[in-house]
Amino acid sequence: KEKPYTSATAASVREAMGGNRELEEGAGLQLDWTKLDKVASKHCDVVPVVVQDSRSGAVLICAYANEAALEATFKQRVACLWSTSRNELWVKGATSGDTLDLDDVFINCEQNSLVYKVTPRRKGACHTKDQYGNTRVSCYYRRVAPTASGSLQLSHAEPVCPECPVPPAPETVNRAALLVAFAAGSVSAALLTAAVLRRRR
């Protein structure tokens, strides 16, 4: 039975995931370039996983999975990942209720990353909340862009009101999905070529 999601739960999740308000809401770029070193230090055998909404194509999460997480994903038919910070199985939604039902799993050409195609049971996927207190649809809610001075700055790219459509514009979705997928090594040249050919038809 799932535990109720409270402010105390949110705080514990934030702490477990190494979150802080400035990092998650601020405009300053604080990319963790040592992330892979931290994962390696845990000595857990994992591969990157891009979790993508089957309906909108939006990238929801980029995380990791090991053999146990992949096995649990197929067995439970929900997105199961491996928490590299807690070094334990992470069944998405077991605490928050934001369960992601599994539709399909794809593997890249080098067999070193995965894509989970999912359908969210509710609207949210991220552990953070927007200005209205709603769980965010995706962990990718800020845009990175250069300023006039040449530095990089973040800006929120999410609906400005609760009634606004949840899925981002298709162009934004495709760009975000490709950037994250490329970073995880999960998009093959064949898939890209097929997408281009479909657009030309």
Side-chain angles (χ1 to χ4, degrees):
K1 185 178 180 180
E2 293 184 348
K3 300 176 182 178
Y5 194 67
T6 64
S7 57
T9 302
S12 65
V13 170
R14 182 187 295 271
E15 182 180 355
M17 298 189 75
N20 64 70
R21 185 160 184 81
E22 179 56 33
L23 179 69
E24 296 168 351
E25 303 297 336
L29 185 67
Q30 301 180 50
L31 274 169
D32 185 0
W33 297 110
T34 64
K35 175 63 177 177
L36 294 183
D37 287 334
K38 293 174 183 175
V39 173
S41 71
K42 297 291 185 178
H43 302 291
C44 50
D45 298 329
V46 295
V47 296
V49 179
V50 172
V51 183
Q52 188 176 34
D53 191 315
S54 297
R55 302 164 303 179
S56 68
V59 172
L60 306 179
I61 305 169
C62 185
Y64 300 90
N66 61 4
E67 189 174 356
L70 183 60
E71 183 178 329
T73 293
F74 281 116
K75 184 176 181 179
Q76 300 185 38
R77 300 304 298 176
V78 298
C80 298
L81 304 156
W82 189 260
S83 171
T84 56
S85 59
R86 300 187 300 274
N87 205 26
E88 65 181 22
L89 184 67
W90 169 24
V91 181
K92 187 70 182 76
T95 301
S96 66
D98 294 318
T99 303
L100 304 175
D101 290 314
L102 183 71
D103 295 320
D104 219 338
V105 175
F106 288 86
I107 191 169
N108 72 322
C109 54
E110 296 181 338
Q111 297 201 38
N112 57 16
S113 64
L114 298 166
V115 174
Y116 287 0
K117 295 273 192 175
V118 301
T119 299
R121 285 189 194 174
R122 304 200 300 194
K123 290 185 177 180
C126 187
H127 73 283
T128 66
K129 295 185 181 296
D130 62 20
Q131 59 185 313
Y132 303 101
N134 300 315
T135 303
R136 287 190 166 99
V137 175
S138 165
C139 289
Y140 296 90
Y141 52 87
R142 283 177 295 178
R143 182 179 290 110
V144 183
T147 63
S149 63
S151 62
L152 295 177
Q153 191 172 43
L154 312 183
S155 61
H156 282 70
E158 57 190 1
V160 296
C161 65
E163 293 75 27
C164 293
V166 169
E171 182 180 350
T172 304
V173 170
N174 293 340
R175 189 173 299 165
L178 285 174
L179 285 174
V180 175
F182 269 123
S186 59
V187 174
S188 67
L191 287 175
L192 291 174
T193 303
V196 171
L197 291 174
R198 283 198 298 271
R199 287 186 178 183
R200 288 180 177 177
R201 289 176 182 174

